[in-house]
Amino acid sequence: MPTLKDVLSARTREGELYDRQDNGWVHCYACGHDCKIPDGALGVCKVRFNQGGRLMVPWGYTGGVQCDPVEKKPFFHAHPGALAYSFGMLGCDLHCGYCQNWVTSQALRDSSAVAPPIDTTPEKLVRDAVRQGAKVLVSTYNEPLITGEWAVAIFKEAREAGLMTAFVSNGNGTPRALEYLRPWIDLYKVDLKSFDDRHYRELGGRLQPILNTIRQLHDMQVWVEIVTLLISGFNDSDDELSKLTEFIASVSPDIPWHVTAFHADYKMRDPANTTPAMLRHAAAIGKRAGLRFVYAGNLPGLVGNLENTYCPGCQEMLVERYGYLIQGYHLTSEGACPSCGIHIPGRWGPGFEGQRISRPFLPGTRRLSVLSGF
Ligand code: SF4
């Protein structure tokens, strides 16, 4: 019986994000690991490999699809209430013990993570997204940087169909990989997990490539929102949160920062679940650092006004939320505050098009999508 590795190895094609080297090795620059890979070997992510001096990369399948509110990604400054059609592949370049998508991200590292691939094409995925009424197509669940060529193939098709495109990513990018994505990507969520390089090394990465990615994306005018999952004893010291949020503010105080609550998952079961008070405390640190849009996520109704968007000029409420549900939308058609006229940074439509769902979505609820044409 073929292993999952065998099954995935058959679903590949030659990649673009690599250089050939004279000795038959390849240099993959799709993510910050910058792997130099000898013939017959795998990269750190275990889904890209050197076959006869060519870098083979994942192609032609998905590990799962789902249509959710764009707020769930989370993007709070991009067409509130719109639907985001998410697709994932398998594998990751990090191995976070608390991963909430471990069934797909760790499928190649952990035999208990079973997520068989479903064969598909960019055309089928985009057709399904349009059929479900999505406005944004999102590469997520696994780390999209390691499957960037496949994402771009889908994004080209999505643009043809009038959809926006997005990555939900750990941000472990490289300058060349981000340049490759730039023409095809509108929104980018970076998971800034810590501001301590030692912590990043525990997760299998380094801090600096993630910081470089955030700065480069902002310079490239891709819309960026940042999430930090607050974990007691791991990344929640005042000192670390101050440095983390001061860094974001140094790139731009207009970048939204979402601080979200940890719950025990996968291999990280010791830290206590994050409380609303811990989220509020972290949010206050972010505001002190100068960030103008700070949100506390995934504990709906328990974090005071930290789910809403307020005008940084006059404090007028602009978008009111409960979980992923939009309860009020007051921006002008130009994306400005109706009270003082300040432009609010983001990717706003000419108006609120209504919540594109049939029932409220709350964190933790799941609705599996049926992919047409399978
Ligand atoms: S995507 Fe990253 S981990 Fe995978 S082979 Fe390329 S550089 Fe290495």
Side-chain angles (χ1 to χ4, degrees):
M1 185 165 162
T3 64
L4 181 57
K5 183 170 165 245
D6 297 333
V7 169
L8 294 185
S9 297
R11 289 164 174 78
T12 57
R13 63 181 267 180
E14 185 177 0
E16 297 178 359
L17 295 167
Y18 85 101
D19 296 322
R20 291 180 191 226
Q21 301 193 315
D22 292 341
N23 55 4
W25 290 40
V26 296
H27 169 204
C28 176
Y29 54 83
C31 90
H33 286 307
D34 262 322
C35 293
K36 317 282 189 309
I37 311 170
D39 190 12
L42 297 161
V44 170
C45 58
K46 299 186 184 297
V47 296
R48 300 165 75 91
F49 58 92
N50 182 343
Q51 184 176 67
R54 297 190 308 154
L55 182 72
M56 305 306 289
V57 305
W59 197 265
Y61 76 89
T62 175
V65 298
Q66 187 162 310
C67 215
D68 294 310
V70 72
E71 285 74 19
K72 192 175 179 183
K73 301 298 98 191
F75 290 110
F76 274 19
H77 288 224
H79 296 275
L83 277 177
Y85 183 91
S86 298
F87 67 92
M89 296 188 86
L90 300 174
C92 190
D93 53 332
L94 303 183
H95 45 78
C96 307
Y98 54 81
C99 183
Q100 292 171 356
N101 290 319
W102 64 278
V103 171
T104 49
S105 71
Q106 301 304 316
L108 276 296
R109 288 195 180 89
D110 187 333
S111 58
S112 57
V114 180
I118 307 163
D119 291 328
T120 189
T121 64
E123 294 78 11
K124 280 183 183 174
L125 285 169
V126 170
R127 204 163 49 234
D128 196 41
V130 171
R131 181 183 67 81
Q132 297 203 39
K135 189 169 200 71
V136 188
L137 197 71
V138 189
S139 184
T140 178
Y141 304 139
N142 73 318
E143 173 47 49
L145 285 164
I146 67 173
T147 48
E149 292 95 337
W150 172 239
V152 163
I154 296 165
F155 287 177
K156 288 178 178 174
E157 199 68 30
R159 284 277 179 83
E160 285 279 309
L163 300 179
M164 297 180 80
T165 60
F167 261 24
V168 170
S169 164
N170 62 30
N172 187 27
T174 67
R176 291 169 78 190
L178 298 178
E179 282 296 338
Y180 174 82
L181 291 170
R182 176 187 197 168
W184 307 109
I185 195 159
D186 299 298
L187 316 173
Y188 203 119
K189 189 220 84 173
V190 176
D191 201 7
L192 183 54
K193 300 167 189 291
S194 166
F195 209 72
D196 185 331
D197 189 59
R198 286 171 308 152
H199 287 157
Y200 260 103
R201 286 176 194 266
E202 287 169 24
L203 308 178
R206 292 179 296 123
L207 174 62
Q208 195 58 49
I210 285 91
L211 304 185
N212 295 345
T213 292
I214 291 168
R215 204 172 278 284
Q216 185 177 346
L217 287 168
H218 181 261
D219 290 347
M220 293 191 317
Q221 298 179 343
V222 175
W223 179 251
V224 180
E225 302 200 18
I226 295 178
V227 175
T228 300
L229 181 71
L230 194 66
I231 303 175
S232 178
F234 178 71
N235 60 5
D236 67 334
S237 75
D238 287 7
D239 180 56
E240 182 164 346
L241 290 172
S242 296
K243 287 178 182 154
L244 185 151
T245 50
E246 283 164 9
F247 166 77
I248 299 171
S250 77
V251 178
S252 170
D254 287 338
I255 294 176
W257 181 53
H258 304 255
V259 58
T260 59
F262 165 83
H263 65 269
D265 211 330
Y266 195 35
K267 292 176 181 167
M268 193 182 271
R269 301 203 157 266
D270 288 339
N273 287 351
T274 307
T275 63
M278 290 162 68
L279 292 185
R280 284 195 291 266
H281 180 72
I285 291 173
K287 288 185 177 174
R288 269 204 304 280
L291 294 175
R292 303 205 297 168
F293 303 100
V294 176
Y295 301 104
N298 68 357
L299 293 177
L302 300 176
V303 288
N305 59 11
L306 289 166
E307 296 183 86
N308 304 327
T309 301
Y310 293 89
C311 173
C314 69
Q315 304 310 314
E316 179 86 359
M317 185 197 284
L318 301 174
V319 185
E320 184 179 7
R321 303 180 184 84
Y322 178 84
Y324 309 135
L325 196 64
I326 304 299
Q327 295 187 313
Y329 182 93
H330 310 292
L331 286 158
T332 70
S333 56
E334 287 80 37
C337 172
S339 175
C340 68
I342 282 182
H343 175 71
I344 307 301
R347 300 290 184 266
W348 314 104
F352 183 52
E353 295 176 14
Q355 189 94 38
R356 300 298 308 274
I357 56 173
S358 56
R359 61 184 172 81
F361 285 81
L362 296 173
T365 62
R366 293 182 75 79
R367 184 182 67 166
L368 291 177
S369 169
V370 178
L371 188 55
S372 61
F374 276 77

